[in-house]
């Protein structure tokens, strides 16, 4: 057999590789995925790595193009093994620094000297090297078989040993109990257990190992406790405390608790409160079939049981489905029993949700209060209402915030930003805001964070630009970060003012690990820091900035050695952003009391919603896996009390321009709380995609604007009740076992179900429909619920279904909410297959004034009716004191979906109206007709007074 030259070389390389591995000169790792020379490399060694693409996740198997590595270091400053430092490689580009040499037979080689290559500095303790392999544009990656980063330990590295756990103290046995005002105290052998009620369904439980003296303050809770009115039954072996429809049973032997609603056991202690050599915390026993949801952003399964999660806010660049720990983690759990638990401790912690299969739920923390709030209720809406009362609900957003908020990393100049706005308008895309990233204060991604002033060479006249945008209906939003680069004048000022985080000796801490340059961190717990920060951004408010984007607020880089006025870094890390939000909210209310705040931020704590935070899900991968991750992340956050959770629509990190992916992501985003296209490396604006993509995305954006009456009403509902905007299917159907772990569709408000398409090229989905009748939002076709639906997928749309019994309001599409009007009001009424109730409502105010929903300056339109014996009766009514610009009357067009018969008569307030045509010369005439889709419609002018419509 004759071999060509390339084949010979490949064969020789493979033989050499095989001999080296066999002899032990090469160290195989990850079951032959990579091999290294030397076997135990040191940071000062010449290092050789060979990647075998035929192992691991097989993402680059048989790939014939150039292969690159992406690499960084795991150091003693890393949070864990996914926290890379000193990253080398520009993802998605042909970066010669990290280009590998092909050896043939799926083998690729790279050589380097680690200290020279990474330049970690002499004061950095390097533990491991981390690698991911990729093709040129980053669409193909090589990782481990379970799709994780590849780690190479350096000489001397030993994985930290987990110490054997032993319990230092448990509450012990009951001694006595007492009631004083609002508190029941149970005295035990090792401390005091206290109970306080917050209304009928919320019970606070706290443990004080040294005996109760006073309650620790809460960062999350704003509700005041009520006088303790529980009924106590004292038995020889237990105390039974009844409050409202609930009771807690306290065992006297070990002080273990059991929680009941009525006679149903909801939750019980396993060990209860504990102090252990590795953590303080609490342990509970879960029921056999219990499901757990919430806990913040979790891009994993809908049911979190069976896993362990960090409670430590942190970024995860380029994550996909399966990412457990993201920017916004919360000690808030929702159970299928149902109950909700807020563990009121912000310090670095974890939640072990039965990861060992022993049925134990464990919370463990480095310190802080041992306290939780147990919320019982009959259903999920009741739990969310109680949680909203306990921690606060989100104030109404300005109406424009529910439109299209166009963003990119990053617009580099006034000329470019103006060009983008004009392109969007000329191409007939709705746009309500443009979001300007870090180039507003500098000409580079490095060295400018914290300048907080316009970089005038590229932005010569920002005030006129903002004014020009505003005249077109486009608002301007600016980014800020809590860091200041140490070479900037602001750093010197802030350091001298003492408003930056310090080291243990009180000296300003300069973070050498911060990606954007060596920097200090503004201490948001320091009131003086809040005053200074507000002064900087208020200069921009005064020239017309409409909203703010706070980035990196976890904080993204937060070394353990940092000290704040409120505590050490790990003690206050999870509430850093919470107090940043509070500064902005309180200052904005003080200086602009009539205006509503828009605060885009990616981190916070329980209760941050009351400070008008609009969180997004971080730096998600621009990939199908990134899109798939958004469904569980959004639903878990919604159940954790953050109603405006949303994603960088189109994907943010890595990947390439993909029209199908962008189309599917924007279709989904149009039915989420916030619509905000954003990304890096690839334009995020629809005008830069092909004609088909533009047509579909334009249709969905415009349709979102048509739905503004419905979406704005959802915003009012979450403000006044605490109910989330997006909800898992089980939220309204808790007894349907098919839905308890299903996350491929969700409720958008109470009346719409949305099933995004999150797989490439899919032709059909099979999904469970809840009980009832459901209508195809696009075609009007009716489907019976309670079974699985096989739905043929079209590229032009995604599956959306309307609930039978709903009356959904719509307005005419506009390209900016400045032009929004509900004077021409469309109402879609979806009829039951038989008798039933019809309900709908619509909240309206001026769209920008604060507290309209509490001071009466609004109107609430209600549409309530019945179907009985083939007749349809609907009552239209209006409440509220009204507002400036409120329509005196509306032209209502009601469409009846599911009405197959021809009506014998239609009347309004007892007066018959005539059958006619939609194109009647008198547009204000009362008329009903059958449209081209064989649906019956009724049109009339409504003056807001109580009006009765009857269709027989």
């Amino acid at each position: 057999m004759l071999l060509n030259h390339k084949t010979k070389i490949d064969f020789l390389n493979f033989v050499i590789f095989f001999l080296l591995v066999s002899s032990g000169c090469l160290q195989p790792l990850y079951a032959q995925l990579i091999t290294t020379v030397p076997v135990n490399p040191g940071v000062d060694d010449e290092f050789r790595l060979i990647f075998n693409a035929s192992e691991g996740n097989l993402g680059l198997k048989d790939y014939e193009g150039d292969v690159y590595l992406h690499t960084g270091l795991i150091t003693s400053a890393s949070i864990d093994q996914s926290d890379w430092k000193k990253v080398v490689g520009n993802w998605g580009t042909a970066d010669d620094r990290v280009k590998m040499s092909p050896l043939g037979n799926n083998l690729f080689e790279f050589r380097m000297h680690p200290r020279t290559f990474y330049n970690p500095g002499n004061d950095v303790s390097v533990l491991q090297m981390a690698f991911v392999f990729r093709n040129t544009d980053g669409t193909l990656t090589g990782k481990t078989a379970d799709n994780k980063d590849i780690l190479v330990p350096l000489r001397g590295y030993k994985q930290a040993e987990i110490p054997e756990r032993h319990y230092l103290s448990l509450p012990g046995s009951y001694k006595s109990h007492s009631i004083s005002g609002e508190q029941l105290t149970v005295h035990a052998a090792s401390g005091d257990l206290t109970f306080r009620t917050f209304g009928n369904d919320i019970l606070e439980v706290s443990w004080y190992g040294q005996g109760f003296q006073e309650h620790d303050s809460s960062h999350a809770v704003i509700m005041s406790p009520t006088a303790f009115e529980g009924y106590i039954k004292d038995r020889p072996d237990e105390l039974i405390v009844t409050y409202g429809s609930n009771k807690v049973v306290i065992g006297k032997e070990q002080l273990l608790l059991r929680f009941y609603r009525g006679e149903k056991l909801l939750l019980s202690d396993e060990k209860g409160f504990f102090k252990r050599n590795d953590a303080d915390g609490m342990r509970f026993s879960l029921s056999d079939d219990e499901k757990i949801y919430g806990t913040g952003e979790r891009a994993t399964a809908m049911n979190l049981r069976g896993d362990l999660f960090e409670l430590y806010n942190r970024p995860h660049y380029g994550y996909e489905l399966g990412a457990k720990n993201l920017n916004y983690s919360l000690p808030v759990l929702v159970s299928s029993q149902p109950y909700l638990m807020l563990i009121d401790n912000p310090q670095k912690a974890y939640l072990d949700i039965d990861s060992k299969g022993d049925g134990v739920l464990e919370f463990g923390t480095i310190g802080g209060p041992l306290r939780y709030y147990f919320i019982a209720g009959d259903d999920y809406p009741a739990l969310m209402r109680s949680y909203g009362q306990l921690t606060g609900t989100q104030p109404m957003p300005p109406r424009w915030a529910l439109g299209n908020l166009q963003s990119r990393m990053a617009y580099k100049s006034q000329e470019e930003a103006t060009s983008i706005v004009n392109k969007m308008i000329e191409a007939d895309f709705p746009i309500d805001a443009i979001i300007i990233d870090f180039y507003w204060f500098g000409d580079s991604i490095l060295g400018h964070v914290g300048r907080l002033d316009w970089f005038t060479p590229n932005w010569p006249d920002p005030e006129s630009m903002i004014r020009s945008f505003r005249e077109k209906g486009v608002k301007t939003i600016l980014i800020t970060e809590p860091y200041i680069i140490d070479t900037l004048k602001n750093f010197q000022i802030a350091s001298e003012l003492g408003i930056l985080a310090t080291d243990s000796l009180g000296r300003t801490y300069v973070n050498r690990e911060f990606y954007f340059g060596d920097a200090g961190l503004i201490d948001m717990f320091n009131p003086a820091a809040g005053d200074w920060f507000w002064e900087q951004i208020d200069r921009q408010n005064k020239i017309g900035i409409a909203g703010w984007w706070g980035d990196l607020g976890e904080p993204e880089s937060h070394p353990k050695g940092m000290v704040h006025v409120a505590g050490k870094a790990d003690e206050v890390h999870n509430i850093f952003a919470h107090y940043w939000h509070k500064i902005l909210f309180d200052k904005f209310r003080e200086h602009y009391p009539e205006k509503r705040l828009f605060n885009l931020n990616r981190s916070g704590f329980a209760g941050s919603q009351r400070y008008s935070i609009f969180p997004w899900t971080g730096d998600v991968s621009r990939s199908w896996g990134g899109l798939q991750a958004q469904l569980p992340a959004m639903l878990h956050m919604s159940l954790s009390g953050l109603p405006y959770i949303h994603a960088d629509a189109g994907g943010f990190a890595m990947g390439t321009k993909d029209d199908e992916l962008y189309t599917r992501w924007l279709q989904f985003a149009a039915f989420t709380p916030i619509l905000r296209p954003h990304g890096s490396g690839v334009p995020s604006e629809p005008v830069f995609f092909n004609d088909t993509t533009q047509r579909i995305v334009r249709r969905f954006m415009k349709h979102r604007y048509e739905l503004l009456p419905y979406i704005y009403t959802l915003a009012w509902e979450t403000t006044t009740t605490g109910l989330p905007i997006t909800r898992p299917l089980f939220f309204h159907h808790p007894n349907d076992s098919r839905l308890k772990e299903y996350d491929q569709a969700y409720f958008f408000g109470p009346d719409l179900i949305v099933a995004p398409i999150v797989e490439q090229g899919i032709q059909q989905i099979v999904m469970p429909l809840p009980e009832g009748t459901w209508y195809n939002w696009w075609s009007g076709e009716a489907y019976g619920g309670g079974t699985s639906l096989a739905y043929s997928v079209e590229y032009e749309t995604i599956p959306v279904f309307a609930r039978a019994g709903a009356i959904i309001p719509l307005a005419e599409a506009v390209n900016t909410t400045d032009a929004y009007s509900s004077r021409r009001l469309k109402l879609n009424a979806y009829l039951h297959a038989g008798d039933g109730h019809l309900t709908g409502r619509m909240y309206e105010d001026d769209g920008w004034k604060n507290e309209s929903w509490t001071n009466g300056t609004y109107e609430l339109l209600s549409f309530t009716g019945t179907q009985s014996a083939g007749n349809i009766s609907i009552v239209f009514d209006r409440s509220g004191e009204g507002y400036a610009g409120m329509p005196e009357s509306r032209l209502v067009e009601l469409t009846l979906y599911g009405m197959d018969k021809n009506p014998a008569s239609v009347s309004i307030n007892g007066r018959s109206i005539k059958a006619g045509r939609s194109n009647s010369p008198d547009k204000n005439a009362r008329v009903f007709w059958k449209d081209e889709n064989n649906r019956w419609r009724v049109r009339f002018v409504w003056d807001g007074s109580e009006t009765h419509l009857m269709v027989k």
Side-chain angles (χ1 to χ4, degrees), residues 513-774:
E513 300 289 338
F514 184 51
Y515 174 79
F516 297 89
D518 297 350
L521 178 63
I522 301 172
D523 191 348
M524 294 298 179
F525 303 99
N526 185 338
D531 292 340
W532 181 86
F533 184 79
W534 172 256
E535 288 175 9
Q536 313 314 305
I537 67 171
D538 195 39
R539 291 201 299 267
Q540 310 309 325
N541 291 328
K542 290 173 180 176
I543 66 170
I545 291 302
W548 289 99
W549 169 16
D551 203 7
L552 316 181
E554 295 80 16
E556 178 172 288
S557 182
H558 202 195
K560 293 180 180 180
M562 268 193 182
V563 178
H564 300 264
V565 297
K568 297 177 182 178
D570 283 353
E571 295 171 342
V572 301
H573 176 86
N574 288 332
I575 50 172
F576 179 90
H578 184 71
Y579 279 85
W580 186 10
H581 307 326
K582 187 177 188 301
I583 289 169
L584 188 56
F585 183 82
D586 289 347
K587 294 290 187 182
F588 199 84
R589 279 288 176 99
E590 177 186 348
H591 292 270
Y592 304 97
E594 284 198 331
K595 291 180 66 176
R596 303 177 191 173
L597 173 65
F598 179 81
N599 173 22
L600 178 68
N601 208 298
R602 70 185 191 187
S603 197
F605 189 60
S608 289
Q609 69 276 358
R610 64 179 180 263
Y611 298 134
S612 289
I613 174 182
F614 294 81
W616 84 98
T617 56
D619 294 342
V620 59
S621 167
R622 183 186 290 107
S623 64
W624 291 97
L627 175 56
Q628 291 158 13
Q630 298 316 297
L631 285 160
M634 178 180 71
L635 294 176
H636 285 304
M637 277 286 277
S638 294
L639 290 174
S640 302
L642 281 299
Y644 290 95
I645 184 63
H646 66 286
D648 289 340
F652 177 82
M654 305 179 292
T656 58
K657 188 176 179 182
D658 183 330
D659 279 272
E660 183 182 358
L661 175 64
Y662 183 83
T663 298
R664 291 307 193 193
W665 209 314
L666 269 290
Q667 289 172 325
F668 160 53
F671 288 91
T672 61
I674 298 292
L675 169 61
R676 188 182 54 85
H678 182 66
S680 65
V682 173
S684 54
E685 303 83 5
V687 291
F688 295 106
F689 287 79
N690 69 33
D691 290 344
T692 300
T693 301
Q694 289 196 47
R695 186 188 73 252
I696 296 171
V697 170
R698 183 185 297 109
R699 177 191 178 190
F700 270 74
M701 284 186 171
K702 285 181 175 289
H703 191 57
R704 180 179 177 90
Y705 278 70
E706 288 181 302
L707 270 171
L708 277 176
Y710 179 75
I711 299 171
Y712 198 63
T713 302
L714 296 181
W716 166 78
E717 184 178 70
T718 198
T719 295
T720 54
T721 68
L723 295 183
I725 294 173
T726 57
R727 311 160 187 184
L729 294 190
F730 64 72
F731 192 86
H732 294 296
H733 298 269
N735 297 322
D736 191 335
S737 60
R738 302 171 305 149
L739 309 180
K740 290 182 183 294
E741 300 187 40
Y742 189 76
D743 62 2
Q744 296 302 293
Y746 60 92
F747 277 102
F748 188 50
D751 297 329
L752 293 178
I753 287 178
V754 182
I757 301 303
V758 296
E759 294 182 41
Q760 186 175 17
I762 196 167
Q763 302 293 315
Q764 184 186 72
I765 64 167
V766 179
M767 61 171 291
L769 275 181
E771 290 289 341
T773 301
W774 298 91

Side-chain angles (χ1 to χ4, degrees), residues 285-425:
S285 291
L286 298 174
S287 300
D288 290 345
D289 60 349
E290 187 171 354
K291 315 293 190 294
I292 298 293
Y293 319 107
T295 79
E297 282 174 7
R298 309 295 178 184
T300 56
M302 191 69 244
N303 179 15
L304 300 176
R305 187 168 182 170
D307 218 331
L308 186 147
F309 300 92
E310 294 176 3
L311 291 172
Y312 187 85
N313 297 338
R314 54 170 306 169
H316 186 159
Y317 184 81
Y319 73 89
E320 295 184 314
L321 184 65
K324 297 195 301 182
N325 303 304
L326 295 171
N327 310 74
Y328 207 135
S329 60
L330 284 167
V332 179
L333 304 97
V334 177
S335 165
S336 59
Q337 288 291 84
Y339 61 82
L340 185 151
M341 183 189 296
L342 164 64
I343 302 172
D344 194 16
N345 183 323
Q347 298 199 22
K348 187 176 183 180
Y350 64 86
L351 276 171
D352 186 339
I353 309 177
D354 192 18
S355 69
K356 303 176 187 66
D358 55 4
V360 173
L361 166 65
E362 177 176 303
F363 168 83
T365 178
I366 63 171
L370 293 179
R371 172 177 61 214
Y372 60 89
Y373 294 83
F374 187 84
I375 302 177
D378 291 331
D379 51 31
Y380 296 109
L383 299 180
M384 298 308 297
R385 288 188 180 95
S386 293
Y387 182 74
Q389 292 172 343
L390 185 68
T391 63
T393 62
Q394 177 120 0
M396 286 284 291
R399 185 183 278 113
W400 61 259
L402 302 178
N404 177 33
L405 312 181
Q406 188 60 59
S407 184
R408 185 206 290 186
M409 178 184 165
Y411 304 121
K412 294 184 177 181
S413 67
Q414 182 172 334
E415 180 181 7
E416 183 181 29
T418 301
S419 171
I420 292 296
V421 168
N422 290 339
K423 283 181 184 292
M424 291 287 290
I425 293 172

Side-chain angles (χ1 to χ4, degrees), residues 770-775 782-785 802-805 831-834:
E771 290 289 341
T773 301
W774 298 91
Y775 287 84
Y783 308 97
R803 178 182 63 84
L831 304 183
H832 295 280

Side-chain angles (χ1 to χ4, degrees), residues 35 41 55 74 162 190 213 279 284 373 403 447 543 546-547 628 760 947:
T35 55
E55 300 291 342
I74 308 302
I162 300 175
S190 300
Q213 294 180 355
F284 305 93
Y373 294 83
I543 66 170
Q628 291 158 13
Q760 186 175 17
T947 298

